[in-house]
Amino acid sequence: MDKYFLKLDGEGIIKYKVIEKHIKNLIDCNKIKDGEKLPSIRNLASFLKVNNVTIINTYKKLESEGYAFQKIGSGTYAKRRDINKNFRREYSNVLKKIANSGNNDYLDFTDESPNGDFFPIKSFKNVIDEVLDRDGAAALTYQEALGYDGLRESISSVFWNNKINSEDILIVSGAQQGIDVVSKAIVNTNDGIVLEKPTYSGALSVFKWRRADIFEVPMDKDGIDINIFEKILKKNNIKCFYTMSYFQNPTGVSYSIEKKRQILNLAQIYDFYIIEDDYLSELIYDKRIKYNSFKSLDLNDRVIYIKSFSKIFLPGIRIGYLVPPKKFKDSIQNSKINTDISTSSLMQRALDLYIRKGLWRNYISKLNLIYSKRYEYTKSCLKKYFKNKIKFNEPGGGLHFYFKISDSININCLRLFRIAREKNVLITPGTLFYKNPKEGQKYFRLGFSQLGDEEIEEGIRILYDIVSDTY
């Protein structure tokens, strides 16, 4: 008992919440094993010099939160297998509560999109005014189920050099809706779906909801492990492979052109389709990384391409687009129409004009200049503080880093999240990115888009202090 509760002994009046928190931490970091018997109520109360009711309340609270279970006539036992079960809700509630409170004291490393302070409000307002003057009420009332023709044409000409027909482009309300629309159109119960491991939590949720048969393939430095991938393809009937081709969320990995060609070849051999989520490919800082999407290399019409303007532009402007293969064009278009009929007509027209005027390219150039400097600064702080305690790759672009906590450090990402939150630092735990959350307990993601240099260094220093205390 001493090795578990010595730190609490002698702290004066001990409330049950203090004991509860201490036992949770011991279970989270595996000092108390799953299924291990906890001290009896009488013995623990005597050791900590509290009354029996305090320990009874502690154990009841642990049971209600999934950290313990009772065996009648035997006692109370630790329970680890459900510690991640409600964490997604806890994480979401924490972020919502902080956002709604207007509390700006937090150093928030959780965001995945550019800082709104850099958004060109004045120029976009002028574009909206021009659209309203030009189109009048039609800009607000006219609905086009597949998207505004002008925007589809500008996407075709500006981003694809007219290599993709505007009639094959479908406007959606961001990448998340794109994934949802595609899954509803082509994924049925027990269909085989391959995901990267780890992967974007929003996509994982969609395919789980569709009750697909999900297979995971670990990530290498230039994309998924091809050998493991092909073994899965040989043994199973796979319908789709979902991938984020640039600065993958969360690992930050970008696919090499060689690996893309290998996967496209496998798609033809094993008759599956690639759902490409082209995530933040505009933000390439390392000039050795060249842009070639799966879609641009696709010779056999095997790629369902999804692109969001919301992530790179402004989350509140919910616009993206997808390009389906001819085989699924009608079913995906019908799925979109059944989902929400159409995306905001005014925002589509404004974005179209913004792109045509060349303002989009100017904005992206500005973001690259700002975030390449912030990326380099964040990287230098990480190397300065963490050294060998936390491993991370250098993605060469995007807006985040992904970390593996050294096995010699006695802390997992859930405990790190909770301790950091108490110190006004917010991170994204790795458990959110895995089909089996336990596989992500030694990982976390750190986004640098919302913070200045001083805030970034302060947040990293606080995380370093937390990790050092458990080293």
Side-chain angles (χ1 to χ4, degrees):
M1 193 182 297
D2 287 7
K3 68 176 181 178
Y4 291 156
F5 298 101
L6 196 57
K7 287 184 179 179
L8 291 176
D9 192 22
E11 287 190 1
I13 299 174
I14 302 174
K15 303 295 184 182
Y16 85 88
K17 287 187 177 181
V18 176
I19 307 170
E20 173 208 339
K21 181 180 177 182
H22 185 66
I23 294 175
K24 281 181 179 178
N25 286 338
L26 292 170
I27 294 171
D28 282 347
C29 66
N30 211 29
K31 284 187 177 178
I32 295 180
K33 307 294 182 184
D34 184 27
E36 182 176 340
K37 187 176 181 179
L38 298 177
S40 71
I41 292 170
R42 181 180 300 174
N43 287 346
L44 186 54
S46 174
F47 181 80
L48 296 177
K49 299 179 177 60
V50 298
N51 60 46
N52 288 356
V53 174
T54 299
I55 305 303
I56 291 171
N57 288 335
T58 299
Y59 284 1
K60 282 183 178 178
K61 186 67 174 175
L62 290 170
E63 282 186 72
S64 70
E65 296 190 8
Y67 276 86
F69 64 96
Q70 275 196 351
K71 289 183 180 179
I72 297 174
S74 178
T76 303
Y77 293 78
K79 184 179 180 182
R80 294 192 72 245
R81 58 182 175 272
D82 290 330
I83 60 174
N84 294 300
K85 186 176 181 180
N86 297 316
F87 180 73
R88 190 180 299 277
R89 183 181 300 170
E90 176 190 340
Y91 176 76
S92 177
N93 287 342
V94 166
L95 299 190
K96 286 179 184 176
K97 185 177 180 180
I98 291 170
N100 293 336
S101 70
N103 188 340
N104 296 320
D105 294 334
Y106 282 86
L107 300 175
D108 186 358
F109 289 99
T110 65
D111 211 294
E112 305 169 47
S113 54
N115 192 318
D117 292 344
F118 304 136
F119 185 72
I121 294 292
K122 185 176 180 180
S123 61
F124 196 69
K125 178 179 180 296
N126 291 338
V127 166
I128 291 176
D129 290 342
E130 187 173 339
V131 167
L132 290 172
D133 289 340
R134 183 191 71 192
D135 299 344
L140 300 171
T141 60
Y142 189 68
Q143 304 293 323
E144 295 171 300
L146 304 182
Y148 174 56
D149 284 343
L151 178 58
R152 294 159 73 192
E153 289 169 2
S154 64
I155 289 171
S156 172
S157 62
V158 175
F159 300 119
W160 292 95
N161 294 319
N162 294 313
K163 292 178 181 177
I164 289 181
N165 194 311
S166 64
E167 294 180 0
D168 294 328
I169 295 170
L170 174 65
I171 304 299
V172 292
S173 300
Q176 183 65 42
Q177 187 188 62
I179 298 166
D180 186 59
V181 164
V182 169
S183 71
K184 288 177 180 176
I186 68 175
V187 177
N188 300 308
T189 301
N190 297 326
D191 278 347
I193 305 294
V194 175
L195 303 181
E196 298 156 336
K197 185 169 76 170
T199 192
Y200 168 50
S201 58
L204 184 58
S205 296
V206 167
F207 294 121
K208 280 185 175 180
W209 181 77
R210 294 298 295 172
R211 296 184 180 179
D213 192 6
I214 296 174
F215 300 86
E216 295 177 298
V217 181
M219 294 291 284
D220 286 336
K221 291 183 178 180
D222 66 341
I224 56 168
D225 185 315
I226 287 292
N227 292 329
I228 294 176
F229 186 40
E230 189 160 13
K231 287 178 182 177
I232 291 172
L233 295 172
K234 287 178 179 178
K235 294 180 180 179
N236 303 277
N237 184 18
I238 299 300
K239 178 173 278 189
C240 292
F241 164 53
Y242 169 79
T243 177
M244 304 180 91
S245 47
Y246 283 88
F247 314 121
Q248 193 252 11
N249 187 4
T251 64
V253 166
S254 295
Y255 280 73
S256 65
I257 190 168
E258 294 79 13
K259 189 154 284 188
K260 287 173 185 170
R261 285 177 173 145
Q262 284 179 291
I263 293 170
L264 284 163
N265 186 49
L266 291 173
Q268 187 66 10
I269 293 170
Y270 292 100
D271 191 24
F272 67 89
Y273 288 82
I274 299 164
I275 302 173
E276 179 180 18
D277 186 349
D278 188 359
Y279 173 75
L280 295 183
S281 60
E282 296 88 349
L283 298 180
I284 297 176
Y285 317 132
D286 186 338
K287 301 308 177 186
R288 292 171 296 181
I289 300 174
K290 305 301 179 184
Y291 180 70
N292 291 283
S293 64
F294 277 96
K295 189 65 179 178
S296 67
L297 302 170
D298 182 17
L299 301 177
N300 298 302
D301 208 22
R302 287 280 167 183
V303 177
I304 303 166
Y305 179 86
I306 300 174
K307 182 67 183 178
S308 173
F309 291 109
S310 308
K311 285 292 183 189
I312 194 68
F313 204 41
L314 194 69
I317 299 174
R318 303 297 301 169
I319 297 179
Y321 71 96
L322 63 83
V323 183
K326 288 182 174 58
K327 178 178 179 178
F328 298 125
K329 182 178 177 179
D330 289 343
S331 60
I332 288 176
Q333 288 179 350
N334 289 335
S335 176
K336 169 62 170 70
I337 293 168
N338 291 335
T339 298
D340 70 352
I341 302 179
S342 74
T343 302
S344 168
S345 178
L346 176 60
M347 287 298 103
Q348 287 187 66
R349 291 164 189 255
L351 180 57
D352 168 45
L353 189 56
Y354 195 83
I355 292 170
R356 290 177 185 271
K357 283 177 169 286
L359 297 172
W360 171 264
R361 293 201 185 279
N362 293 339
Y363 174 64
I364 296 302
S365 296
K366 175 185 175 183
L367 284 187
N368 268 276
L369 184 63
I370 293 169
Y371 282 117
S372 62
K373 292 179 180 177
R374 192 168 293 184
Y375 167 83
E376 292 295 337
Y377 185 79
T378 304
K379 186 170 68 174
S380 68
C381 289
L382 292 170
K383 290 183 176 180
K384 173 182 175 182
Y385 286 96
F386 284 119
K387 297 178 182 177
N388 296 324
K389 293 187 177 181
I390 288 182
K391 297 177 182 178
F392 67 94
N393 294 324
E394 299 177 16
L399 296 172
H400 68 269
F401 289 87
Y402 193 58
F403 305 87
K404 184 179 190 302
I405 305 168
S406 172
D407 291 335
S408 62
I409 297 174
N410 197 15
I411 193 171
N412 64 31
C413 65
L414 301 185
R415 187 174 171 218
L416 179 61
F417 168 79
R418 290 167 179 144
I419 296 174
R421 181 186 64 199
E422 292 175 359
K423 298 179 182 293
N424 284 7
V425 176
L426 300 175
I427 63 169
T428 305
T431 55
L432 299 175
F433 304 108
Y434 289 80
K435 179 183 174 184
N436 176 7
K438 288 185 178 181
E439 294 187 63
Q441 288 198 22
K442 279 291 186 176
Y443 297 87
F444 68 96
R445 189 189 68 195
L446 210 67
F448 54 83
S449 66
Q450 302 299 316
L451 303 173
D453 289 353
E454 291 183 5
E455 295 171 313
I456 288 170
E457 181 159 11
E458 182 184 356
I460 289 173
R461 180 189 56 77
I462 290 170
L463 291 172
Y464 166 78
D465 288 342
I466 295 170
V467 169
S468 296
D469 286 344
T470 57
Y471 190 66

